Amino acid sequence: METLTTFILCGGKSSRMQSEKGLVLFQRKPFIEHIIQAILPITEQIKLITASKEYDYLPYEKIQDLVLDKGPLGGIYTALSHSETEFNLILSCDIPLISTELLQELISKHTEEAGITVFASESKTHPLIGIYSKKIVPIVKSAIEADELKMMDLLAKVPHQILNIEESENFHLTNINSADELNDLNINLS
């Protein structure tokens, strides 16, 4: 795979976390810094999809959503529209346990025919940890225009590849949406 750009979707205000989700502290460090740490061994091409000034302390380009209030799909549309590379690693900002190894596996197994490559176990698909091709911009755009914002609906419309993982591996891909989930995570790791 030629060059790859990574986009971290910093999302809007998280209603359940009551703060910027990517800046929630985990092991004394914001989620987003854990994620950047996992990406850096692979690429330094990192951009943040956010309108929040709270991420200004990070030395990466920030891009505001082209279309507001369209959830993760809007963030993906913005990322792919701005991208100069065909392949793009799209990550949500709330996956502090993601590892370089898992990301490398995702990248190495992605095939060019697939518009999207994501991980899934029997119980769960992880659409916000994926390789997205710039080629799918028209499909994402028409989904947004039709207000069809569910990630699983997008997957169904695009030639995609699912990398099967064990149920136990879901743990590293878990997105943390609430203070309770963060608490559970800290308990599981202690």
Side-chain angles (χ1 to χ4, degrees):
M1 183 179 302
E2 349 91 80
T3 48
L4 177 85
T5 312
T6 301
F7 291 92
I8 303 174
L9 307 181
C10 298
K13 281 276 173 271
S14 160
S15 45
R16 290 183 283 182
M17 273 295 198
Q18 300 299 311
S19 64
E20 279 293 335
K21 224 163 149 183
L23 298 175
V24 171
L25 292 182
F26 169 63
Q27 295 177 339
R28 295 192 297 282
K29 220 164 55 176
F31 282 2
I32 194 156
E33 290 182 31
H34 289 278
I35 298 165
I36 289 168
Q37 210 173 353
I39 299 165
L40 282 175
I42 300 168
T43 177
E44 290 181 4
Q45 277 275 30
I46 299 173
K47 299 181 181 191
L48 310 183
I49 304 293
T50 181
S52 169
K53 295 269 175 271
E54 293 182 62
Y55 293 97
D56 284 356
Y57 78 97
L58 293 164
Y60 302 104
E61 186 184 344
K62 324 292 182 294
I63 301 169
Q64 296 194 23
D65 272 329
L66 292 170
V67 190
L68 294 176
D69 302 323
K70 297 295 177 186
L73 200 62
I76 289 170
Y77 174 60
T78 301
L80 297 179
S81 298
H82 278 87
S83 178
E84 289 164 18
T85 56
E86 184 183 339
F87 301 108
N88 303 279
L89 178 61
I90 303 266
L91 300 171
S92 58
C93 65
D94 54 4
I95 44 169
L97 298 178
I98 192 70
S99 67
T100 303
E101 294 71 40
L102 276 166
L103 294 177
Q104 277 168 330
E105 183 182 346
L106 184 66
I107 293 163
S108 66
K109 292 186 176 167
H110 174 76
T111 58
E112 292 202 12
E113 302 78 56
I116 302 175
T117 298
V118 295
F119 287 114
S121 67
E122 275 179 36
S123 67
K124 194 166 171 29
T125 300
H126 298 276
L128 295 181
I129 302 170
I131 301 283
Y132 283 73
S133 165
K134 191 169 169 62
K135 289 189 293 226
I136 69 167
V137 167
I139 301 171
V140 180
K141 185 171 193 258
S142 60
I144 286 174
E145 285 166 356
D147 228 26
E148 294 166 5
L149 304 179
K150 290 198 170 72
M151 290 301 303
M152 297 313 286
D153 292 350
L154 176 69
L155 271 185
K157 290 178 192 142
V158 174
H160 62 277
Q161 187 182 8
I162 301 281
L163 302 181
N164 292 310
I165 53 170
E166 298 300 317
E167 287 296 325
S168 60
E169 288 183 281
N170 277 325
F171 183 59
H172 290 281
L173 304 173
T174 306
N175 55 331
I176 308 298
N177 286 310
S178 65
D180 288 345
E181 287 176 12
L182 181 62
N183 201 23
D184 291 346
L185 182 63
N186 284 315
I187 291 165
N188 282 326
L189 289 170
S190 56

